[in-house]
């Protein structure tokens, strides 16, 4: 039973993330190589608020991690990237 709940929660998180064009754009820009916040800010046409709000959400929900000053996709982030 616990497995089904986790699967449902996982799919709900993926759905919420995929429904946001901004989040999909951020995940695609980060890609498999990773990017710094500054690189994303230069590359994406987003306000500071949009970028921070969505990065914070993606980090909190486990789609991104920050290592050595770079944002990188987690396994869930890669799954979101592949889902398009």
């Amino acid at each position: 039973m616990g497995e089904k709940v986790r699967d449902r929660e996982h799919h709900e998180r993926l759905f919420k993330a995929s429904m946001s064009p901004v989040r999909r754009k951020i995940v695609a820009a980060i890609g498999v190589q990773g990017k710094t916040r500054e690189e994303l800010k230069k590359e994406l046409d987003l306000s500071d608020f949009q970028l921070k709000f969505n990065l914070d959400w993606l980090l909190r929900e486990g789609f991104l991690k920050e290592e050595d000053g770079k944002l990188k996709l987690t396994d869930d982030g890669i799954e979101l990237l592949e889902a398009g």
Side-chain angles (χ1 to χ4, degrees):
M1 182 81 154
E3 183 97 11
K4 283 187 180 180
V5 171
R6 190 239 177 255
D7 287 343
R8 180 177 175 170
E9 289 172 359
H10 175 74
H11 290 295
E12 285 176 359
R13 281 183 26 259
L14 271 175
F15 178 74
K16 282 182 184 178
S18 68
M19 292 306 294
S20 168
V22 173
R23 291 178 188 147
R24 287 194 318 266
K25 189 176 183 179
I26 290 170
V27 167
I30 291 171
V32 293
Q33 301 298 318
K35 296 248 169 99
T36 65
R37 289 174 184 260
E38 200 57 40
E39 288 171 328
L40 284 175
K41 188 175 180 174
K42 287 178 185 175
E43 184 176 329
L44 302 174
D45 186 27
L46 299 174
S47 70
D48 289 343
F49 174 79
Q50 281 180 306
L51 184 61
K52 182 177 178 357
F53 177 85
N54 287 288
L55 282 177
D56 288 349
W57 190 92
L58 289 163
L59 285 161
R60 184 178 63 247
E61 294 298 321
F63 293 98
L64 298 179
K65 61 186 173 184
E66 200 159 5
E67 292 179 345
D68 302 322
K70 264 192 165 178
L71 293 158
K72 297 181 179 181
L73 300 179
T74 61
D75 289 343
D76 287 347
I78 291 169
E79 188 175 349
L80 179 59
L81 177 66
E82 290 173 347

